[in-house]
Amino acid sequence: ENEHYPLLRKQLSQFALQFTLDEARHLYAFAMNYCIGRINAGEGTYLREIFDLYKEALERKVLLEGDSLSPWDYKNIVVVGLRLSEFEWVETFIRSFRERIPFEHRENAFTYNLAKLHFYKKHYSEVLKLLQKLEYEDVFYNLDAKVMLLKIYFELHEIDALDSLIESFRTFLRRNKLISASHRTNYLNLILFVKKLSRVGYGDHKRIAKIRTDFEATRQIADADWLREKLGG
């Protein structure tokens, strides 16, 4: 129940280190998962809450397994910090924890997250340079990189490049067996709405209103918040 979370949060700060690190890691994970649930329910204030949990867990070395930080925790912390516009903190974190990422994932994780930082800062030329260095064996890095490119081409009104990427992205989604049906639908819907928006003429409010109505009626869309922003809502 919602009223129990503040007590859990307080007791985590006071007593977490009296448990083993493995137990403490699970306790912080419970708190973080609760915050994720509230964020997904539209309660944006919990973004700051989970950010503070991540910082506290890092300071206490609770997120480390030995000396290593999971590349997925690395990525999740970066995303939360960027959504809060904590750009300076995020850059320091990306660089200072680089050597904590297991060697086989290190360069990809570092390059991807640095590209994500530059994307949020709208340094699109830097993003494009970094994405060229990314190894695309991991399907999720591949998907995220394609989404970043999709947004950049849209923002820069590079329609030919956007159309070419849309076609190759659709092919990738349909052929890759590692992508679940649900994720495939999310990304295909993102592509659909980006293409629709890229065809809207300046000041065509009627067309925008129609796309917005279709968007609100569609349940599964990747990066829905970004699309909502582009639709002016």
Side-chain angles (χ1 to χ4, degrees):
E1 298 296 334
N2 292 355
E3 62 266 24
H4 298 308
Y5 176 78
L7 179 59
L8 170 63
R9 183 70 185 89
K10 180 181 178 182
Q11 293 186 337
L12 266 180
S13 293
Q14 290 179 323
F15 305 118
L17 293 186
Q18 294 185 32
F19 294 86
T20 67
L21 282 178
D22 190 52
E23 289 169 331
R25 190 178 302 117
H26 280 88
L27 291 170
Y28 273 98
F30 286 135
M32 289 169 184
N33 286 337
Y34 174 82
C35 291
I36 290 167
R38 305 320 307 158
I39 292 164
N40 290 342
E43 297 181 45
T45 55
Y46 279 89
L47 204 58
R48 176 62 61 179
E49 185 66 32
I50 196 171
F51 185 60
D52 290 340
L53 278 168
Y54 273 128
K55 289 202 292 185
E56 185 173 291
L58 284 170
E59 288 165 8
R60 295 175 164 200
K61 299 185 178 180
V62 168
L63 289 181
L64 299 180
E65 296 193 32
D67 285 329
S68 296
L69 179 67
S70 156
W72 308 116
D73 283 332
Y74 188 61
K75 176 186 172 186
N76 290 340
I77 292 165
V78 167
V79 168
V80 171
L82 292 176
R83 288 182 66 182
L84 291 166
S85 299
E86 294 276 359
F87 298 146
E88 186 175 341
W89 186 94
V90 167
E91 182 162 8
T92 300
F93 167 74
I94 289 171
R95 296 187 184 282
S96 61
F97 278 83
R98 177 181 186 172
E99 298 304 312
R100 300 276 193 172
I101 306 301
F103 180 77
E104 64 271 24
H105 302 294
R106 186 173 301 155
E107 286 311 306
N108 243 19
F110 176 75
T111 302
Y112 168 82
N113 285 292
L114 201 57
K116 196 84 170 174
L117 170 66
H118 283 296
F119 177 81
Y120 269 77
K121 294 172 80 172
K122 302 186 188 302
H123 298 165
Y124 297 140
S125 61
E126 288 300 317
V127 179
L128 295 173
K129 288 177 194 173
L130 287 163
L131 291 183
Q132 289 175 359
K133 300 177 183 178
L134 203 62
E135 295 292 333
Y136 289 103
E137 292 176 6
D138 185 290
V139 67
F140 295 106
Y141 281 130
N142 206 328
L143 285 168
D144 286 354
K146 281 178 166 55
V147 170
M148 268 196 277
L149 283 174
L150 195 75
K151 293 176 180 177
I152 289 171
Y153 293 150
F154 178 85
E155 298 284 7
L156 298 178
H157 307 289
E158 297 280 358
I159 301 303
D160 289 344
L162 179 64
D163 285 347
S164 177
L165 176 61
I166 283 172
E167 290 311 309
S168 64
F169 199 173
R170 278 180 176 147
T171 300
F172 175 78
L173 288 167
R174 286 171 179 149
R175 289 181 180 174
N176 196 300
K177 305 301 181 187
L178 295 175
I179 302 170
S180 70
S182 177
H183 276 89
R184 186 175 293 110
T185 298
N186 288 342
Y187 289 109
L188 286 171
N189 282 335
L190 170 64
I191 289 169
L192 174 68
F193 282 103
V194 169
K195 183 150 190 173
K196 285 183 178 182
L197 278 172
S198 72
R199 297 299 190 268
V200 174
Y202 179 76
D204 191 346
H205 302 298
K206 185 176 180 180
R207 178 75 174 140
I208 288 282
K210 174 65 169 65
I211 296 172
R212 188 183 294 115
T213 299
D214 293 343
F215 170 79
E216 295 298 343
T218 305
R219 298 189 63 184
Q220 288 183 265
I221 311 176
D223 277 82
D225 288 341
W226 177 81
L227 272 174
R228 189 173 287 108
E229 179 189 324
K230 298 302 121 184
L231 284 162

